[in-house]
Amino acid sequence: MENKELINIRLNDGGASVIILDQTLLPNEEKYIELSSADAMFEAIYSLRVRGAPAIGIFAAYALCVFACQIKTEDFEVFYSEVLKYSDYLDSSRPTAVNLGTQLRRMERLVKDSSGLPVKQILEAMREEADKIYNEDVEMCRAISEHGLTLIKNGYGIMTQCNAGPIATSKYGTALGPIILGKEKGMDLHAFICETRPLLQGARLTAFELDRAGVDCTLICDNMASVVMSEGKINAVFAGCDRIARNGDVANKVGTGGLAILAKHYGIPFYIFGPSTTIDMDCASGAEIEIELRKPEEIKEMFYIKPMAPKNVKCYNPAFDVTPNSLITAIITEKGIYKSFK
Ligand code: MRU
């Protein structure tokens, strides 16, 4: 399987900086930016220049390598405490996707376990670990795409939410993986892409990726999902995930839960795709998941020439919602297809 590949995250110059595809500029501009300061890396995550749960985790691992290179000490304790400080700072950039914290903890553990080694050697081990995180995600996304392909048939109409494609991961994507793979195998598939207000990841990113992969796709406003389902055009809903609780409840981009309710009403299977790194075994249910609240300007001003709501009107802008396990037909990870969450 080979999409016309965009390498969205890579370590530059042995750890001097990280280069990312700036996702805020898509689909109009494919621009790579180089980041080396803590504030620029924090901002890149917060502003969604790099986004999607697996991609944020990979980026954070590389970002930690860059920071570790900037620590000027040979003393392990000083080095380790600086790494922890920077890791905590990055971890506070967005709260909902578990991958960010999971990959940062993995890097922290590696440093802790390297106590006694020269700093130069620890830096090398950190770069190797970050590459491993990247490569493991490539393998997981590939396996997810292959499992997902078994759920679809020629002629299927598939509804998507947000963006869970190659640029939200290392490569291949999760929820978009089976669609892109199916297209490569010559299947006739049609994607109905929910635009995903307020940040338009569906319109800007999913439409960009699927169009580039040659998939027949149609963009709809979020509030048109019910009409399209009622017209019999949808055979399955495919969505990604930011955190899967132990009981199978799933946090994903706001609007996902609404689609699950609609899918149940219309008798349409509702599938969640994600690598096992998105499962949070410390989280008993969706009620424990912190939902990120974002700025009102994203609703009132962004993407409009002029503000489109009165200046003083209040806005509520949760970036994610939780879909209860009872509305999910199956969760697909690299390990297989899970249909029962009891
Ligand atoms: O706010 P975003 O764009 O980072 O939200 C992303 C999503 O909700 C994705 O569906 C999820 O991270 C899975 S990406 C493979």
Side-chain angles (χ1 to χ4, degrees):
M1 170 183 181
E2 215 34 79
N3 71 60
K4 287 163 203 149
E5 204 181 328
L6 292 166
I7 298 176
N8 53 332
I9 307 165
R10 69 185 158 85
L11 196 64
N12 187 38
D13 199 12
S17 58
V18 184
I19 295 184
I20 58 165
L21 175 68
D22 185 345
Q23 296 191 36
T24 63
L25 303 176
L26 290 172
N28 299 313
E29 212 181 326
E30 281 174 42
K31 185 177 170 191
Y32 286 85
I33 54 172
E34 188 177 346
L35 307 167
S36 56
S37 77
D39 291 343
M41 301 220 195
F42 183 100
E43 194 276 339
I45 300 176
Y46 181 76
S47 301
L48 277 58
R49 297 185 194 286
V50 54
R51 50 147 298 285
I56 297 173
I58 295 163
F59 172 76
Y62 283 127
L64 210 54
C65 295
V66 171
F67 270 88
C69 284
Q70 295 170 6
I71 302 168
K72 298 285 169 244
T73 185
E74 287 303 319
D75 181 312
F76 177 79
E77 291 309 324
V78 175
F79 179 79
Y80 182 49
S81 82
E82 286 292 304
V83 166
L84 291 185
K85 204 162 73 188
Y86 179 63
S87 181
D88 285 349
Y89 176 57
L90 269 192
D91 201 10
S92 66
S93 56
R94 296 192 78 190
T96 305
V98 71
N99 310 58
L100 175 61
T102 304
Q103 305 304 12
L104 286 169
R105 297 296 91 73
R106 177 167 164 178
M107 296 297 288
E108 288 170 11
R109 267 197 312 277
L110 175 99
V111 175
K112 191 173 178 201
D113 294 346
S114 306
S115 168
L117 295 179
V119 166
K120 193 165 176 256
Q121 215 169 312
I122 302 175
L123 294 175
E124 185 54 35
M126 287 179 78
R127 286 190 287 266
E128 278 170 19
E129 193 71 2
D131 282 343
K132 230 182 197 177
I133 289 171
Y134 180 94
N135 290 326
E136 284 169 11
D137 191 72
V138 173
E139 290 310 311
M140 289 189 281
C141 288
R142 190 182 175 91
I144 289 167
S145 305
E146 274 158 12
H147 292 309
L149 194 58
T150 66
L151 299 168
I152 54 185
K153 294 197 181 95
N154 210 29
Y156 258 34
I158 300 166
M159 185 169 280
T160 67
Q161 171 71 351
C162 195
N163 171 265
I167 56 174
T169 64
S170 52
K171 205 174 173 180
Y172 303 128
T174 56
L176 298 191
I179 304 173
I180 296 172
L181 184 58
K183 170 70 193 171
E184 282 173 6
K185 291 188 184 289
M187 287 175 84
D188 171 30
L189 300 170
H190 192 103
F192 283 85
I193 303 168
C194 294
E195 62 174 351
T196 315
R197 285 274 294 149
L199 295 182
L200 303 176
Q201 289 94 331
R204 296 187 303 104
L205 309 175
T206 296
F208 169 78
E209 290 193 304
L210 292 184
D211 182 55
R212 202 175 165 112
V215 175
D216 182 33
C217 44
T218 302
L219 182 63
I220 59 167
C221 297
D222 300 325
N223 50 6
M224 297 168 189
S226 177
V227 176
V228 178
M229 287 184 186
S230 74
E231 289 170 350
K233 293 177 174 146
I234 305 300
N235 301 97
V237 178
F238 279 15
C241 50
D242 284 81
R243 193 179 294 251
I244 304 175
R246 206 161 62 223
N247 71 342
D249 291 348
V250 169
N252 190 50
K253 180 53 56 193
V254 67
T256 306
L259 288 184
I261 293 167
L262 288 176
K264 184 165 178 114
H265 176 78
Y266 290 111
I268 297 167
F270 181 91
Y271 297 113
I272 289 289
F273 295 81
S276 53
T277 45
T278 310
I279 300 172
D280 182 358
M281 291 307 277
D282 294 332
C283 175
S285 78
E288 291 180 15
I289 300 176
E290 181 180 349
I291 299 295
E292 176 183 12
L293 292 178
R294 294 184 63 91
K295 293 181 195 155
E297 290 75 31
E298 291 179 352
I299 297 180
K300 291 201 281 189
E301 294 173 18
M302 220 166 158
F303 303 117
Y304 293 97
I305 292 170
K306 289 183 190 164
M308 46 58 71
K311 198 172 184 322
N312 295 325
V313 82
K314 284 189 279 184
C315 278
Y316 178 51
N317 187 11
F320 300 92
D321 62 21
V322 172
T323 303
N325 60 18
S326 58
L327 296 177
I328 300 170
T329 310
I331 295 178
I332 297 90
T333 76
E334 74 281 5
K335 297 184 178 149
I337 300 174
Y338 297 90
K339 291 196 170 139
S340 167
F341 310 113
K342 297 276 174 278

